[in-house]
Amino acid sequence: MSDIDKNTEECHDENGVDLDVMRKISEHPCYNKDAQHKYGRIHLAVAPKCNIQCNYCDRKFDCVNESRPGVTSEVLTPQEALEKTRQVLKDYPFIKVVAVAGPGDPLANDETFEALELIKNEFPDVTLCLSTNGLALPDRIDDLLRVGVSTLTVTLNAIDPEIQAQIVDHIAYKGKSYTGVEAAEILIKNQLEGIKMAVEAGMVVKINTVLIPTINRDHIVEVAKKVRELGVFIMNIMPLICQAKFADMEPPTNEERKEIQALCEPYVQQMRHCRQCRSDAYGLLGKDLSQMSEERRNVIKMESIKKMEHEE
């Protein structure tokens, strides 16, 4: 057996699954429900610009009492992001995932790649993660691979342009602004192409789909069927947060969401423990350290360090 064949065999289990990929899934609180109580993540808010405007999105940079996607207390420079990561990983060694999830779209901000490259160089063993609307994904897939992103979330709310056009107000793509069905067609094409490229490149892909009862409720199962074809690992059906142009809409009930999840389950694994985190969240899911008092953070820090010392 050659050295290459031996290394390949050592890096896979008997089912042919890459062991490094298995480790990243097992330690990622969003991809593995059992990991959410043991491992944490940090979101770095280095990406303020966005290339699309969804009708449900309201990005605010200083909403300290809100816990939802798109908000952060501050926008970090890449160097500040590295320094914050350095301190957080030291204080809370249970954090295994470093992610960029906004407050805009990470792929529309070069600072995303600057920050992730700095972190990759200093912390090669952490899992790098990113969330995107997918518009720029085909164009930036090589950049993601270069900086070491291995887990990727793409928000895909529809694969029918007529439905997508009701959700997205406009997109900015290659120097032009598009609206209506034309914008939706470009966005969906790039999303599906980018997801396919990411899966083929070995990334573990999660799909976020916002459940908007009056628009895409009966369409989401078609999204699930499509992402199954593309090899997506898990799907997260998120309830609409009624704001911006959709402020007067009614959000889905828990029963509606569970019903749609059950319909999609035969096609793709469902994530049921999402907390719709802030762009600067860190810690365990549902226990955001960014929203805790310094006293409470210090208690958790000491507990975390003691646990790590005990395990060693």
Side-chain angles (χ1 to χ4, degrees):
M1 180 184 293
S2 71
D3 290 340
I4 293 176
D5 290 337
K6 184 178 180 181
N7 289 339
T8 300
E9 182 176 288
E10 290 174 348
C11 291
H12 293 75
D13 72 357
E14 67 266 17
N15 295 316
V17 180
D18 187 291
L19 296 181
D20 188 51
V21 170
M22 290 176 63
R23 176 187 66 79
K24 289 173 179 175
I25 293 172
S26 70
E27 295 180 350
H28 199 307
C30 299
Y31 287 70
N32 180 357
K33 66 179 181 179
D34 296 326
Q36 64 175 311
H37 305 297
K38 185 175 181 181
Y39 300 112
R41 72 338 183 190
I42 176 173
H43 287 175
L44 301 171
V46 297
K49 297 190 293 291
C50 197
N51 48 11
I52 76 173
Q53 179 59 58
C54 296
N55 288 326
Y56 56 71
C57 184
D58 184 10
R59 293 183 300 278
K60 294 178 180 176
F61 297 165
D62 192 20
C63 303
V64 293
N65 295 317
E66 289 192 76
S67 184
R68 60 173 173 82
V71 296
T72 179
S73 294
E74 61 179 341
V75 174
L76 304 175
T77 67
Q79 188 60 43
E80 289 170 340
L82 174 62
E83 292 165 3
K84 182 174 182 178
T85 300
R86 189 182 291 144
Q87 189 62 51
V88 166
L89 294 185
K90 176 184 176 184
D91 292 345
Y92 311 101
F94 61 85
I95 290 179
K96 302 295 185 181
V97 178
V98 177
V100 178
D105 188 80
L107 301 187
N109 296 261
D110 289 336
E111 292 83 356
T112 296
F113 303 97
E114 294 174 29
L116 292 178
E117 192 155 32
L118 288 171
I119 291 161
K120 174 194 173 187
N121 290 338
E122 187 162 332
F123 303 100
D125 293 331
V126 302
T127 296
L128 295 184
C129 187
L130 184 139
S131 297
T132 177
N133 58 48
L135 177 62
L137 188 51
D139 296 324
R140 306 223 67 164
I141 192 78
D142 288 340
D143 291 322
L144 290 175
L145 295 171
R146 173 178 56 81
V147 300
V149 171
S150 58
T151 57
L152 179 73
T153 294
V154 181
T155 298
L156 181 65
N157 294 323
I159 56 173
D160 181 334
E162 296 287 345
I163 295 175
Q164 182 73 287
Q166 300 176 58
I167 300 171
V168 174
D169 182 81
H170 64 269
I171 70 170
Y173 184 61
K174 295 189 181 298
K176 292 184 63 177
S177 180
Y178 300 87
T179 60
V181 172
E182 184 180 20
E185 288 174 342
I186 295 169
L187 178 57
I188 292 168
K189 176 180 178 295
N190 286 14
Q191 288 171 324
L192 297 181
E193 181 182 343
I195 291 166
K196 183 174 184 290
M197 294 169 72
V199 170
E200 290 176 349
M203 291 185 186
V204 186
V205 178
K206 175 167 70 75
I207 295 300
N208 280 354
T209 301
V210 179
L211 170 55
I212 310 168
T214 58
I215 296 178
N216 69 348
R217 182 188 186 281
D218 298 327
H219 175 65
I220 290 178
V221 69
E222 299 303 319
V223 177
K225 292 176 181 178
K226 185 63 179 179
V227 300
R228 175 195 175 103
E229 292 176 15
L230 298 174
V232 163
F233 178 74
I234 194 168
M235 181 184 197
N236 175 24
I237 298 173
M238 307 165 65
L240 172 70
I241 298 175
C242 300
Q243 57 187 5
K245 288 190 175 182
F246 286 174
D248 296 328
M249 282 191 171
E250 287 291 325
T253 64
N254 287 335
E255 289 71 25
E256 282 181 293
R257 183 170 170 236
K258 289 177 181 178
E259 179 186 349
I260 301 301
Q261 288 172 328
L263 290 172
C264 294
E265 186 89 67
Y267 304 103
V268 60
Q269 179 183 175
Q270 295 293 302
M271 176 186 179
R272 291 181 167 86
H273 58 281
C274 177
R275 296 294 182 267
Q276 292 184 283
C277 304
R278 292 165 56 97
S279 298
D280 57 0
Y282 67 99
L284 299 175
L285 295 189
K287 297 180 180 178
D288 185 359
L289 290 164
S290 75
Q291 300 295 285
M292 294 182 185
S293 67
E294 185 175 356
E295 181 180 6
R296 179 60 181 150
R297 286 198 296 265
N298 284 335
V299 170
I300 293 174
K301 177 170 68 174
M302 295 308 298
E303 290 174 349
S304 177
I305 293 173
K306 286 180 180 179
K307 183 178 179 180
M308 183 183 67
E309 290 173 348
H310 176 74
E311 290 176 349
E312 290 177 349

